[in-house]
Amino acid sequence: MTAFAALVSPAGEGAVLVTATGELDMTSAPTLIESLRDAIRAYAPSRVDLDLTGVPFMDSTGIQVLVAAQADIDGELRIIGTSPAVHRLLELTGLLETFGLTV
């Protein structure tokens, strides 16, 4: 199992970049939630870009976090990169377009 981490950095144009690495599941989801909340509090961004390229596995808990975050952000939550497994999960759940991704 890969340890989970989420790094927050300003991305310009009122956006914030959150780069996640490791497996996103029930045990690591609170780390992502806290990172997203910290980013919103610190930067009040108009858009949050989430890079999941370094996330080799995500379960339904990760999906729940993404959907909840989309509702909480006063702006847009956009996923800018995924691993093949995460992309497939988002495709299967019909959420690709919700987060700005294409098939």
Side-chain angles (χ1 to χ4, degrees), residues 4 26 32 37 79 84 95-96:
F4 186 82
M26 186 171 78
L32 181 58
R37 286 182 180 157
I79 297 175
L95 291 171
L96 283 176

Side-chain angles (χ1 to χ4, degrees), residues 3-97:
F4 186 82
L7 176 67
V8 176
S9 56
E13 299 178 15
V16 168
L17 173 64
V18 178
T19 305
T21 55
E23 296 182 356
L24 180 52
D25 57 20
M26 186 171 78
T27 58
S28 60
T31 302
L32 181 58
I33 292 168
E34 193 59 33
S35 294
L36 289 168
R37 286 182 180 157
D38 288 348
I40 293 165
R41 276 194 299 266
Y43 299 102
S46 59
R47 187 181 76 238
V48 175
D49 292 336
L50 181 58
D51 185 353
L52 299 175
T53 307
V55 177
F57 171 82
M58 180 170 70
D59 68 7
S60 61
T61 308
I63 293 288
Q64 291 172 342
V65 169
L66 297 178
V67 170
Q70 176 80 344
D72 289 346
I73 293 170
D74 188 21
E76 177 185 10
L77 174 64
R78 185 175 69 173
I79 297 175
I80 60 168
T82 63
S83 65
V86 169
H87 191 276
R88 179 75 175 135
L89 179 59
L90 292 171
E91 183 178 18
L92 289 171
T93 55
L95 291 171
L96 283 176
E97 289 182 8

